[in-house]
Amino acid sequence: MSWDAYVTNLTANGALEYAAIIGLDGNIWASNFGVAVLPSYQTDVPDEKNPDATTKVAYDEKTAFVHSITHNGNSGNPAGVRVNNQKYYSVQFDAESKTWYLKKSKGGACVAWANTVAVFASFSQTINAENGAPQNASDCNKRVIDMAKYLADSGY
């Protein structure tokens, strides 16, 4: 099975919005993002002293993702956590169970990892799966954690 098939499995039946298999070095092994690498770009960050003002900061998703996994969900960047150019807020990071739960506007994501690879997937409450039910955290978390466990058991 190619790595793309793992992403297809994660997003089957429209259950998830985005999914990726990402090496713990930050390299994308497969994704449905439409990009081959986690990108770098400029993004606006609200000014702490003036909430009506923003400052442009450089953001490297690959560097921030790797830093986050090894620093309890802290990206090391003032722009916070961003994947696929979407802003996320850390809800719970558990290094022992190798899981990380994230929230975004009208949705969220889950990251779970093994020895060499992480599984990322996001959901949007504004998108319905094929069964008509909105995408949700429970399905996202279960699919991501099960996939990460499978990859860990397979030596990844």
Side-chain angles (χ1 to χ4, degrees):
M1 177 152 53
S2 78
W3 288 109
D4 289 333
Y6 290 95
V7 170
T8 300
N9 182 282
L10 285 164
T11 59
N13 303 316
L16 300 175
E17 177 184 32
Y18 294 109
I21 307 297
I22 305 170
L24 293 184
D25 59 1
N27 290 314
I28 293 178
W29 295 9
S31 81
N32 67 345
F33 298 168
V35 296
V37 297
L38 290 170
S40 296
Y41 47 84
Q42 296 284 315
T43 190
D44 291 324
V45 174
D47 187 301
E48 289 182 20
K49 296 178 183 168
N50 180 359
D52 295 329
T54 60
T55 304
K56 288 263 188 217
V57 298
Y59 197 86
D60 182 322
E61 286 190 10
K62 180 178 178 178
T63 300
F65 184 83
V66 171
H67 192 272
S68 295
I69 293 290
T70 58
H71 291 84
N72 295 317
N74 181 338
S75 71
N77 187 294
V81 177
R82 302 180 69 87
V83 177
N84 196 25
N85 202 10
Q86 290 188 17
K87 169 80 173 161
Y88 290 90
Y89 302 91
S90 191
V91 174
Q92 181 182 356
F93 185 96
D94 187 336
E96 188 174 319
S97 68
K98 298 182 178 183
T99 56
W100 185 19
Y101 304 101
L102 301 159
K103 174 94 176 106
K104 68 175 182 168
S105 178
K106 298 181 181 167
C110 180
V111 180
W113 59 96
N115 297 321
T116 62
V117 68
V119 179
F120 167 89
S122 68
F123 67 94
S124 173
Q125 296 165 329
T126 64
I127 299 172
N128 289 342
E130 288 178 7
N131 66 3
Q135 294 179 350
N136 63 76
S138 178
D139 287 344
C140 182
N141 299 346
K142 180 171 179 11
R143 285 172 183 249
V144 168
I145 292 166
D146 288 351
M147 179 70 69
K149 182 180 180 334
Y150 172 80
L151 293 173
D153 291 347
S154 298
Y156 294 100

